[in-house]
């Protein structure tokens, strides 16, 4: 299955469809947040109602502390990062430009939402994003990475091919 995702033409087509679909979802989500989005209530809820285990104790106490000590005091920065992060992830995935990087940051955001206690669409996104991540460069060969990645590999020595495309 991994070889099919990473090397076959049909795998490339399937992952391109998934990449564009998930990119569209991220882009539209970010655009919807352009007018007056604030994560403050979401963060406050994550602090007041952390994810708890069967024993009733917080499971990710360390994450709750990050939300309290770092995110809340810098909420306007995080509002900006969420909106523009979603837009840039969406554009990267739709255009197939730095798609592996875009999907990495998409996964980072999805797991951050999960750690704060929001289920929503995050498991579905994570599943689809892992397919793109596993496919690697093959997922974006039908995109701008077809031109970008070979150019970067020629110009930056440590990016020379070390794994299968």
């Amino acid at each position: 299955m991994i070889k099919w995702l990473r090397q076959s033409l049909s795998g490339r087509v399937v992952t391109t469809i998934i990449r564009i679909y998930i990119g569209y979802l991220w882009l539209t989500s970010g655009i919807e947040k352009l007018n007056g989005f604030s994560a403050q209530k979401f963060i406050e809820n994550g602090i007041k109602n952390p994810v708890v285990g069967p024993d009733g104790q917080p499971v990710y106490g360390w994450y709750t502390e990050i939300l309290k000590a770092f995110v809340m005091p810098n909420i306007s920065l995080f509002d900006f990062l969420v909106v523009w992060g979603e837009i840039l992830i969406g554009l990267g995935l739709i255009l197939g430009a730095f798609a592996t990087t875009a999907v990495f940051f998409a996964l980072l955001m999805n797991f951050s939402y999960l750690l704060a206690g929001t289920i929503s669409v995050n498991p579905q996104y994570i599943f689809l994003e892992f397919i793109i991540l596993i496919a690697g460069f093959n997922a974006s060969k039908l995109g701008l990475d077809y031109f970008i990645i070979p150019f970067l590999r020629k110009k930056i020595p440590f990016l020379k091919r070390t794994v299968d495309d």
Side-chain angles (χ1 to χ4, degrees):
M1 178 70 148
I2 292 175
K3 186 176 180 181
W4 176 77
L5 283 172
R6 294 183 68 82
Q7 297 176 352
S8 73
L9 177 61
S10 58
R12 183 178 313 153
V13 171
V14 168
T15 55
T16 298
I17 291 167
I18 293 170
R19 178 178 52 81
I20 292 170
Y21 169 70
I22 200 79
Y24 171 79
L25 295 174
W26 277 106
L27 179 63
T28 56
S29 178
I31 289 172
E32 288 171 3
K33 290 180 173 92
L34 276 173
N35 294 325
F37 170 76
S38 177
Q40 185 166 346
K41 292 200 186 301
F42 170 76
I43 301 301
E44 287 172 354
N45 188 52
I47 293 168
K48 289 178 189 171
N49 304 303
V51 177
V52 295
D55 60 357
Q57 297 299 312
V59 179
Y60 312 115
W62 59 271
Y63 191 73
T64 305
E65 289 304 314
I66 290 171
L67 293 177
K68 260 192 255 185
F70 184 66
V71 177
M72 277 306 287
N74 300 295
I75 195 66
S76 58
L77 170 65
F78 280 89
D79 290 343
F80 176 85
L81 291 174
V82 167
V83 172
W84 288 101
E86 289 184 3
I87 290 171
L88 292 173
I89 287 167
L91 288 173
L93 291 172
I94 289 169
L95 299 173
F98 301 103
T100 305
T101 304
V103 84
F104 168 79
F105 284 106
L107 285 163
L108 181 68
M109 288 182 78
N110 287 131
F111 279 111
S112 296
Y113 298 152
L114 285 174
L115 291 170
T118 300
I119 300 297
S120 184
V121 298
N122 294 301
Q124 174 191 349
Y125 282 25
I126 288 169
F127 176 75
L128 294 172
E129 289 159 0
F130 268 117
I131 292 172
I132 297 167
L133 191 64
I134 291 167
F137 182 43
N138 203 35
S140 58
K141 277 186 180 175
L142 296 176
L144 294 178
D145 279 347
Y146 178 80
F147 305 101
I148 295 170
I149 300 302
F151 174 78
L152 290 177
R153 285 181 176 164
K154 286 179 188 171
K155 297 293 181 186
I156 305 172
F158 72 86
L159 292 179
K160 297 236 186 282
R161 187 180 317 162
T162 58
V163 295
D164 293 333
D165 285 336

